[in-house]
Amino acid sequence: MSDAEVEAPRLNRRQAAKVRTRQKVLDAARALFAERGYEPATIRDIARGAGMSTGAVFANFQDKAELFEAVLTEDLARLAESLRSASAAETTARGRVVAALTAAYHGSLDQLPLVQAVVARSWFQPVAAEMRTREAVKPVVSVVTDALQGGVRGGELRQDADVHLLSELIYGAFLSNYRRAAYDGWSMEQMVEQLGRQVDVILAGALARQ
C-alpha cells in the first residue's frame, strides 16, 4: 500500500473523532440551554456536561453564541422533519397546519427555557446571525406553506389566497402561545386549543366559497 493509502483511514478516523466531539458539545449545550436558558449557561458548565475541557469546546466553536446557533439550526432541521410527518397524516389544510404545529409544541414545551432564549436572542443578535436564523426557520414555516398550498389546489382555500402571508401570520401566532406557557402556566391542551382558534381566524378570509 502507498503512504497515501495508509494515511487516508487515519485521517478519516480523526475526522470521525472530531465529529463525535462536536456532537457531544452540542448535546451538552442543548441540555443546559433547555434547563437554564441562554445567559445562565456557561461554556465551563457545557464543557463539564460534555466531559471535556473548555479548550475542547473552543476548538469546535468560537463562542457561546455560535454554539447556541448551531444547536438551534440542528433542532430546527429535526423539527421540520417531525412537522412534515405529523402533517402528512391529515387530509385538510387546516388539519395539516394544526397537526404540524401541535407536534412542534409536543417537541419543545418541555424545553421552554430554550424556546425563550431563542425568542429573546432573536431581538439582539447581529444581522448576519439573524439572516442565518431565518434560513434555518424556513423549512419549518414551509410545512405550513405547503399545507396551505395544498388547500388551494384542493379547493379548500381561494385561488388568490396569499399563502406566504398566511403562513407568516400562523407561525407568529404559534410562537405567541409560548408566552402563555411561560407566564400563565398554560398546558399543552390549552396551547393547542388556542392555536386552533388562531388558525381558524387567520384562514377565515381565505376559505373558498361553498
Side-chain angles (χ1 to χ4, degrees):
M1 296 176 65
S2 68
D3 291 344
E5 289 172 326
V6 171
E7 184 69 15
R10 193 177 304 159
L11 289 173
N12 288 338
R13 285 196 294 272
R14 281 203 295 269
Q15 291 167 351
K18 184 174 178 61
V19 169
R20 287 195 297 270
T21 298
R22 175 182 166 83
Q23 192 60 52
K24 284 179 66 176
V25 174
L26 283 172
D27 292 343
R30 178 181 295 104
L32 205 60
F33 289 141
E35 177 187 347
R36 303 181 186 177
Y38 180 80
E39 292 299 338
T42 67
I43 291 291
R44 185 182 300 276
D45 288 338
I46 291 170
R48 185 180 299 116
M52 58 188 62
S53 67
T54 56
V57 175
F58 285 121
N60 287 274
F61 300 95
Q62 180 177 336
D63 52 25
K64 188 169 72 169
E66 183 182 20
L67 178 52
F68 185 77
E69 186 179 328
V71 168
L72 175 60
T73 300
E74 188 174 83
D75 283 1
L76 286 172
R78 289 175 181 162
L79 182 62
E81 292 179 10
S82 66
L83 264 60
R84 289 198 180 280
S85 296
S87 177
E90 297 294 328
T91 58
T92 66
R94 192 259 188 201
R96 287 192 290 270
V97 168
V98 173
L101 297 181
T102 297
Y105 285 148
H106 278 286
S108 60
L109 196 56
D110 62 343
Q111 300 181 4
L112 193 54
L114 177 56
V115 177
Q116 289 176 284
V118 171
V119 175
R121 283 189 57 77
S122 70
W123 281 96
F124 302 105
Q125 60 188 347
V127 173
E130 169 66 12
M131 295 302 105
R132 289 192 296 270
T133 299
R134 290 186 187 184
E135 285 299 312
V137 168
K138 277 184 179 180
V140 175
V141 180
S142 72
V143 176
V144 177
T145 304
D146 291 347
L148 297 183
Q149 288 174 335
V152 172
R153 290 192 299 271
E156 298 173 61
L157 302 179
R158 295 199 328 246
Q159 293 298 307
D160 63 347
D162 188 339
V163 295
H164 293 288
L165 177 58
L166 292 171
S167 298
E168 290 181 6
L169 292 172
I170 290 172
Y171 186 70
F174 157 77
L175 289 179
S176 73
N177 293 330
Y178 283 107
R179 293 182 66 85
R180 295 288 196 171
Y183 294 107
D184 301 323
W186 273 21
S187 66
M188 177 72 67
E189 290 73 19
Q190 287 174 299
M191 292 177 69
V192 172
E193 183 181 354
Q194 176 76 347
L195 175 67
R197 289 196 296 264
Q198 290 166 327
V199 170
D200 288 339
V201 170
I202 292 170
L203 294 183
L207 294 174
R209 293 184 181 276
Q210 301 297 322

